[in-house]
């Protein structure tokens, strides 16, 4: 697995209990307004991607596609995870900067 700043920050968020993972918990956090950022795995199903893009656009939560389900799970010390939600504003801002820097183009 490649070690990088994004996965490190996700691990930090998990250890600080500022992260939810899995479809149901992430969707619930978006609806409740506690999620400041959602990351969906690039190899998640089309339905999962659409669900989070639609929900996040409605609730005005930034959403990014990054990594694989295996890498997201590995970063937070769990099994495969298709989505994670960051519930801390500072960590979300730091992650968004890193995600923007990693965008192709």
């Amino acid at each position: 697995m490649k070690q990088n700043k994004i996965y490190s920050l996700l691990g930090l968020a998990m250890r600080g209990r500022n992260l939810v993972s899995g479809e149901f918990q992430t969707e619930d956090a978006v609806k409740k307004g506690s999620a400041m950022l959602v990351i969906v795995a690039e190899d998640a199903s089309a339905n999962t991607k659409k669900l989070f893009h639609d929900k996040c656009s409605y609730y005005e939560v930034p959403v990014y596609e990054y990594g694989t389900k295996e890498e997201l799970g590995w970063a937070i010390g769990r099994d495969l995870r298709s989505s994670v939600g960051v519930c801390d504003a500072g960590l979300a801002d730091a992650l968004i900067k890193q995600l923007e820097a990693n965008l192709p183009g």
Side-chain angles (χ1 to χ4, degrees), residues 9 12-13 16-19 33-38 61-62 85-98:
L9 287 167
L12 188 66
R17 297 178 188 233
N18 292 315
L19 186 127
S34 59
M36 309 286 166
L37 166 69
V38 171
V61 175
V86 179
C87 300
D88 178 81
L91 282 168
D93 288 342
L95 274 160
I96 288 169
K97 282 182 188 147
Q98 291 298 319

Side-chain angles (χ1 to χ4, degrees), residues 22 31 82 85 92-93:
K31 286 180 182 173
S82 58
D93 288 342

Side-chain angles (χ1 to χ4, degrees), residues 39-86:
I39 299 175
V40 181
E42 291 168 348
D43 60 348
S45 71
N47 284 345
T48 300
K49 289 180 182 179
K50 182 179 180 341
L51 169 84
F52 283 110
H53 281 283
D54 292 350
K55 284 270 185 252
C56 291
S57 108
Y58 180 79
Y59 288 98
E60 298 180 357
V61 175
V63 61
Y64 290 87
E65 289 181 24
Y66 185 79
T68 64
K69 291 190 270 194
E70 186 181 359
E71 289 168 344
L72 287 179
W74 173 81
I76 62 171
R78 297 282 164 91
D79 285 336
L80 302 177
R81 289 290 186 261
S82 58
S83 60
V84 295
V86 179

